[in-house]
Amino acid sequence: MSVERSPSSRVRVFNLPNQLTSLRLILAVVLFAFISYEYYTVSFVLFVVAAGTDWLDGYYARRYGQVTTLGRILDPFADKVIICGTFTFLLVAPGIAETPYGLRAWMVVTIVGRELLVTALRSFIEDRGG
């Protein structure tokens, strides 16, 4: 049994906020590639652009009533991919361990743990109707 979707429902799912969130996932992959090749300035710019799209898609979705179930799932997922992925790629960057004040494994574990805790708490609160 297939469910027919109207063109208007597809438009609502693929609205501008969800397109920006999808763009953020693509930017994450590009960002990771640049970090791998040690282009840190370009990586920083991509990270800032991705963070800007995070703010922009949330603002636009709330302002124009384009909040969707897909967006509520995809947006935090994209955030986690960018944050956790960036820290992971930076952790294994050549020379990072030799830097006196550089990134350490415990820092990455703390940040990833915080991201997972926030996700778990958000899920718990939504299950309670909050």
Side-chain angles (χ1 to χ4, degrees):
M1 174 180 199
S2 81
V3 176
E4 289 294 320
R5 301 259 191 249
S6 70
S8 65
S9 71
R10 278 188 228 117
V11 169
R12 279 183 264 146
V13 170
F14 296 112
N15 60 22
L16 182 61
N18 289 347
Q19 290 174 9
L20 288 170
T21 301
S22 300
L23 174 65
R24 196 160 63 254
L25 285 169
I26 294 166
L27 285 174
V29 173
V30 175
L31 168 66
F32 302 155
F34 277 113
I35 292 172
S36 295
Y37 287 106
E38 301 180 40
Y39 293 116
Y40 299 120
T41 304
V42 176
S43 300
F44 175 74
V45 170
L46 282 173
F47 188 88
V48 169
V49 168
T53 65
D54 182 31
W55 176 85
L56 185 61
D57 77 55
Y59 172 79
Y60 195 90
R62 286 185 296 278
R63 172 97 172 145
Y64 296 103
Q66 295 187 351
V67 176
T68 64
T69 302
L70 177 64
R72 291 176 57 86
I73 294 167
L74 199 57
D75 185 68
F77 174 72
D79 294 345
K80 306 294 182 266
V81 168
I82 285 199
I83 296 296
C84 298
T86 298
F87 277 108
T88 302
F89 271 84
L90 286 173
L91 184 62
V92 298
I96 199 82
E98 290 80 33
T99 307
Y101 299 105
L103 191 61
R104 300 289 183 254
W106 69 267
M107 296 172 184
V108 175
V109 169
T110 301
I111 291 165
V112 170
R114 180 229 174 249
E115 293 293 330
L116 295 173
L117 178 63
V118 167
T119 300
L121 287 174
R122 179 179 286 152
S123 177
F124 176 77
I125 290 169
E126 285 182 0
D127 283 348
R128 299 278 182 183

